[in-house]
Amino acid sequence: MRDLSAFPITKRWPAKHPDRLQLYSFPTPNGVKVSIALEELGLPYEAHAVDIGKNESWTPEFLALNPNGKIPAIIDPNGPDGKPLGLFESGAILLYLAEKTGKLMTADPASRYETIQWVFFQMAAIGPMFGQVGFFYKFAGREFEDKRPLARYRDESKRLLGVLETRLDGRDWIMGDYSIADISMLGWVRNLVGFYGARDIVEFDSLKRVPAWLERGLARPAVQRGLDIPKRPG
């Protein structure tokens, strides 16, 4: 039995199975990246819902694991050298899980770095830009009289979708084979055209390869399961 008591987060979200990887998350585009990866990899894990609607990610216990105050975060009781390891930032967690299992990312050095490049593309570009579209098109920002911010993020999101469209020329997946690069982006593209309702303003249906890629990704059973993990309270 692993002792995770050194992690304050386990006081607020106790581990029923401390020998399993502990996931602290909420089903947002960032959160589901890790749950999808875990479902694809088949690693035993225990999911804890950190309700961002109640600002639970800003509690002292969560901040002790992730000082950035954002979901997701993990504790792997079987980390390097057999010691428990806590990690935050979804991209770093995806890389860790891929390297831990030897799956969802090739061992070839050149292809490995190319995969990392596309994960960073999501983290530095797609995530922030699509999130701003959501704010200015669906959430509080839609009340702003000045529509220039929305136009700026809309146009940049269209450009980023164009980058993906070009990359998918002749490929079913970002790297040819399904990888953490695809997992990093599926939830964000899904939210942009679905939950945010921005399908028309980013001219999503003018694309051919990205919609087909999204459909392929969402058809994967592990993706469907991961999109609802951890379940929202209530």
Side-chain angles (χ1 to χ4, degrees), residues 1 22 37 42 45 60 70 74 85 100 102 111 115 118 120 126 131 133-134 136 150 164 177 181 200-201 204 213 223:
M1 186 69 70
Q22 304 294 305
Y45 72 100
K70 305 290 185 180
I74 66 166
L85 174 69
K100 177 183 175 73
S111 295
T115 306
W118 286 102
F120 284 11
I126 277 186
V133 169
F136 285 103
L150 172 60
L164 277 183
D177 293 327
D200 290 340
I201 68 165
F204 189 74
W213 163 84
V223 173

Side-chain angles (χ1 to χ4, degrees), residues 169-214:
D169 186 11
R171 297 180 175 89
D172 283 344
W173 306 107
I174 301 297
M175 289 300 300
D177 293 327
Y178 182 73
S179 73
I180 57 171
D182 301 286
I183 292 173
S184 74
M185 299 186 211
L186 283 169
W188 277 110
V189 178
R190 172 179 177 262
N191 253 41
L192 180 70
V193 301
F195 182 64
Y196 296 159
R199 188 183 201 101
D200 290 340
I201 68 165
V202 298
E203 300 177 4
F204 189 74
D205 292 324
S206 69
L207 305 170
K208 292 182 171 58
R209 303 179 195 111
V210 174
W213 163 84
L214 179 62

Side-chain angles (χ1 to χ4, degrees), residues 4 7 9 20-25 31 34-35 38 43 45-46 48 62 65-66 70-77 79 84-90 92-94 96-97 100:
L4 303 181
F7 295 90
I9 197 169
R20 301 179 187 176
L21 187 146
Q22 304 294 305
L23 170 66
Y24 307 92
S25 189
V34 176
S35 56
L38 289 166
L43 285 172
Y45 72 100
E46 182 177 355
H48 305 273
F62 187 83
L65 179 59
N66 181 0
K70 305 290 185 180
I71 51 95
I74 66 166
I75 298 172
D76 184 359
L85 174 69
L87 283 177
F88 67 94
E89 295 298 340
S90 57
I93 297 171
L94 288 180
Y96 172 72
L97 294 175
K100 177 183 175 73

Side-chain angles (χ1 to χ4, degrees), residues 28-56:
T28 68
N30 275 336
V32 300
K33 283 185 273 186
V34 176
S35 56
I36 290 171
L38 289 166
E39 287 293 315
E40 292 280 10
L41 292 167
L43 285 172
Y45 72 100
E46 182 177 355
H48 305 273
V50 179
D51 193 336
I52 58 175
K54 297 180 179 178
N55 291 322
E56 289 185 343

